Amino acid sequence: MKSDEIKYGVQNAPHRVLYNALGYTAEEQSRPLIGIVSSYNEIVPGHMNIDKITEAVRIGIAMAGGTPIVFPAIAVCDGIAMGHQGMKYSLVTRDLIADSTECMAMAHGFDGLVMIPNCDKNVPGLLMAAARMNIPTIVVSGGPMLAGTVNGCKVSLSAAYEAVGAYAAGKINDEQLKEYEEKTCPTCGSCSGMYTANSMNCLTEVLGMGLRGNGTIPAVYSERIRLAKKAGMQIMELVRKDIRPRDIMTKEAFENALTIDMALGCSTNSMLHLPAIAHEAGVEINLDIANQISDKVPNVCHLAPAGQHHMEDLNEAGGVYAVMNEINKLGIIHTECMTVTGKTVGENIAGAVNKNTEVIRPVENPYSKTGGIAVLRGNIAPDSCVVKRSAVAPEMLVHEGPARVFDCEEDAMEAIMTDKINPGDVVVIRYEGPKGGPGMREMLNPTSAIIGRGLGSTVALITDGRFSGATRGAAIGHVSPEAAVGGPIALIEEGDIIAIDIMANTINVKVSDEELAERKKAWTPKEPRIKTGYLARYSALVTSGNTGAILSVPQK
């Protein structure tokens, strides 16, 4: 056992002194030491129940003969951080979470880890740490929120953001807006649509790093507590069999994740997180692979914001395993991959039943024959950009219109809310990328305002920033290279005609190469917006969105 190096021998008597000071008995010290990375806090609705999940994991570990030891991970609520400077601190926490978990686990010699994330950056951050450290690890999330109900219809967080736009346009009154405030998010848990948190928790199951139900069992169900106990027990099997994250998170496992990503219609943020996790596991994922997979994977689920179904509906329909088994009819799942169950993917999904063909459509009758996410390229984004194709109105899959150019989110939001954006426009928000933001802010406010004001079927938005999983419409993000490094998005001028063809995977500004070259000569970099603190360090190290916005290692 790894912990034996710090527990036994005369030279380790001081270590035993400190374990004694912590109250651990000799019997507890003799067992495998299992770290529990708890993301519990009192500011994120998806994390407020993690204390109960943590206690259930503790019980499971102890039942199976291990010694559970809890330490924390931070979490930012993207919803609360949205629309102000706080959003600069969202994506950047992914690396803080990975780094701090590495520090704690390696400093204290744990034999195994149980990771308890739930929201947007905690899931990928902890998976990055797991792949980097490569000690036996299992993930169990806090679970999704139940959908709210407004006017007799199920709703999720995106409805509240869109209600703001509707209110500004005079489509709803104070009382109606108040109803959205009070009823949209009725329970704890990660917000109830196929947003980033739920996307990544579902993909954790697909990767093989979480048990069945990790992504879909609602936070308030007692089944979630039972799942946590099972995870605590199962980590002991992984330790005994020495099954490690890199045994599980292989190239084929990431291909499975991309495949089910397309089938589910996950958040475009998965196109940042999966490459970053893969990088830590020594696996290369480029976005060309994503398009190749998308071309052969039907989109079989339309969860909010793309449709009317929510995570609880997916859970009742059979969950992630049912989706995987449905897609496996096409023979495009790597069924031989190992998982934290100790069994292969094929063994796990065998017999998983699709209990509701409205929620999980059969592969013979999909929403579309291609996947939910598309990667576009063109003279605006030579290194790629991404769009949640499954959440785009059909009439916006091909669009051409004049550019309305803004150098920050706030300026764009002001224009949208004061009726300065017209049907047919293409809103361009730049200098919001990983370096330029810094921090690659999500653009849920402007996209929701566009939808709420009734412009979702006539206006597109492109940015070198990114979008919440709650975004719907022709919202194209991760434009790479970003404006801050002189990418072509920095060269677009007000009124330039932008041509978007999502089905053909292209995005171009209708300006000659010669004109763009002249504009590039005249372009000068902007002064960094933030020059001190963590964001300044992050900006100096972070790479482009098309590489997963990973942090580069300075070269000697």
Side-chain angles (χ1 to χ4, degrees):
M1 289 294 170
K2 184 178 179 64
S3 64
D4 289 353
E5 299 174 6
I6 61 173
K7 292 190 299 189
Y8 298 120
V10 172
Q11 73 279 8
N12 287 324
H15 295 162
R16 295 191 293 274
V17 167
L18 295 172
Y19 280 115
N20 289 337
L22 287 163
Y24 290 111
T25 65
E27 291 80 6
E28 287 174 302
Q29 293 178 45
S30 70
R31 297 171 182 169
L33 303 183
I34 308 299
I36 304 174
V37 193
S38 172
S39 300
Y40 168 76
N41 65 40
E42 295 182 341
I43 189 60
V44 184
H47 291 231
M48 62 183 285
N49 66 318
I50 284 180
D51 56 341
K52 295 178 176 60
I53 303 298
T54 300
E55 185 56 30
V57 169
R58 286 174 60 95
I59 292 169
I61 292 169
M63 287 170 61
T67 297
I69 303 174
V70 179
F71 64 89
I74 63 169
V76 165
C77 177
D78 276 20
I80 295 173
M82 194 73 66
H84 59 97
Q85 293 299 303
M87 181 45 69
K88 294 180 184 292
Y89 288 89
S90 171
L91 179 61
V92 304
T93 64
R94 187 185 69 180
D95 296 277
L96 282 176
I97 291 161
D99 293 349
S100 60
T101 300
E102 174 193 359
C103 290
M104 288 294 291
M106 301 310 290
H108 299 105
F110 291 113
D111 299 303
L113 294 171
V114 181
M115 296 176 163
I116 313 177
N118 210 24
C119 289
D120 299 41
K121 307 313 161 304
N122 292 74
V123 185
L126 290 178
L127 285 171
M128 287 166 66
R132 185 186 301 172
M133 294 182 293
N134 202 34
I135 62 176
T137 301
I138 191 169
V139 176
V140 56
S141 77
M145 185 183 288
L146 295 179
T149 303
V150 175
N151 296 325
C153 298
K154 283 186 175 182
V155 296
S156 55
L157 181 64
S158 54
Y161 279 92
E162 291 171 14
V164 173
Y167 179 83
K171 296 182 178 182
I172 63 173
N173 59 29
D174 289 336
E175 185 177 341
Q176 291 169 308
L177 181 61
K178 186 69 172 177
E179 186 173 10
Y180 278 100
E181 287 182 29
E182 294 183 349
K183 296 184 177 179
T184 296
C185 293
T187 72
C188 63
S190 49
C191 297
S192 58
M194 188 54 77
Y195 306 153
T196 306
N198 291 326
S199 294
M200 294 310 301
N201 281 323
C202 287
L203 295 181
T204 297
E205 271 190 70
V206 182
L207 280 171
M209 288 298 293
L211 299 177
R212 182 176 188 173
N214 178 73
T216 61
I217 298 170
V220 294
Y221 282 15
S222 297
E223 187 181 359
R224 175 64 55 179
I225 301 295
R226 297 198 299 273
L227 179 72
K229 290 178 181 177
K230 290 176 183 176
M233 291 186 279
Q234 188 60 25
I235 187 59
M236 298 308 298
E237 281 298 302
L238 297 176
V239 170
R240 291 183 186 110
K241 295 178 180 178
D242 197 29
I243 298 175
R244 298 170 181 249
R246 291 195 184 189
D247 300 326
I248 295 168
M249 290 193 282
T250 61
K251 179 177 182 290
E252 291 75 20
F254 282 102
E255 289 178 358
N256 283 345
L258 285 167
T259 296
I260 302 305
D261 189 334
M262 301 302 169
L264 286 170
C266 289
S267 164
T268 52
N269 280 316
S270 64
M271 294 296 102
L272 285 174
H273 299 323
L274 287 175
I277 299 163
H279 174 75
E280 296 288 356
V283 174
E284 181 183 352
I285 290 182
N286 63 56
L287 296 187
D288 291 322
I289 296 172
N291 259 357
Q292 291 164 15
I293 290 174
S294 183
D295 286 344
K296 61 184 179 182
V297 179
N299 177 225
V300 298
C301 294
H302 264 194
L303 278 72
Q308 299 305 308
H309 300 133
H310 295 80
M311 295 306 297
E312 62 211 65
D313 303 313
L314 179 58
N315 187 61
E316 296 304 318
V320 173
Y321 278 16
V323 176
M324 294 178 75
N325 210 26
E326 188 66 45
I327 297 299
N328 195 41
K329 291 178 182 178
L330 302 174
I332 55 176
I333 297 290
H334 297 289
T335 55
E336 74 285 359
C337 294
M338 178 53 61
T339 73
V340 292
T341 66
K343 300 177 181 179
T344 65
V345 165
E347 291 172 314
N348 286 343
I349 67 174
V353 176
N354 181 356
K355 299 176 183 178
N356 188 331
T357 55
E358 291 298 314
V359 177
I360 306 171
R361 285 195 175 182
V363 292
E364 300 83 8
N365 180 37
Y367 285 101
S368 65
K369 293 182 180 180
T370 53
I373 292 177
V375 177
L376 315 183
R377 278 188 170 83
N379 65 0
I380 291 175
D383 289 343
S384 78
C385 55
V386 300
V387 61
K388 190 170 184 174
R389 178 164 51 194
S390 59
V392 177
E395 58 268 34
M396 288 298 290
L397 291 170
V398 178
H399 180 74
E400 190 169 301
R404 305 298 307 281
V405 182
F406 305 94
D407 286 351
C408 67
E409 178 187 357
E410 288 82 358
D411 290 350
M413 190 66 182
E414 190 275 337
I416 296 166
M417 296 298 281
T418 55
D419 294 320
K420 294 176 183 175
I421 301 302
N422 304 309
D425 286 348
V426 178
V427 176
V428 178
I429 306 178
R430 61 194 183 189
Y431 295 100
E432 290 285 8
K435 283 185 179 293
M440 206 178 186
R441 287 196 286 181
E442 288 183 343
M443 302 290 168
L444 181 56
N445 275 358
T447 56
S448 297
I450 287 170
I451 296 291
R453 297 180 81 81
L455 297 171
S457 61
T458 59
V459 170
L461 189 154
I462 68 173
T463 181
D464 52 8
R466 62 195 178 94
F467 297 109
S468 165
T471 289
R472 62 188 176 106
I476 300 166
H478 309 190
V479 170
S480 301
E482 63 175 289
V485 297
I489 191 173
L491 311 178
I492 297 172
E493 295 181 357
E494 187 83 5
D496 284 349
I497 300 301
I498 292 176
I500 300 165
D501 190 334
I502 293 172
M503 300 311 295
N505 304 112
T506 61
I507 182 168
N508 290 286
V509 58
K510 300 182 86 171
V511 173
S512 69
D513 291 345
E514 292 77 14
E515 172 63 19
L516 287 176
E518 287 300 314
R519 292 182 188 181
K520 183 62 183 287
K521 289 179 184 177
W523 177 82
T524 56
K526 286 185 177 289
E527 278 288 310
R529 286 173 171 155
I530 295 176
K531 300 180 181 180
T532 59
Y534 178 59
L535 288 180
R537 297 197 301 275
Y538 180 87
S539 179
L541 295 175
V542 71
T543 62
S544 173
N546 70 297
T547 64
I550 60 174
L551 299 186
S552 62
V553 177
Q555 300 298 311
K556 292 183 178 180

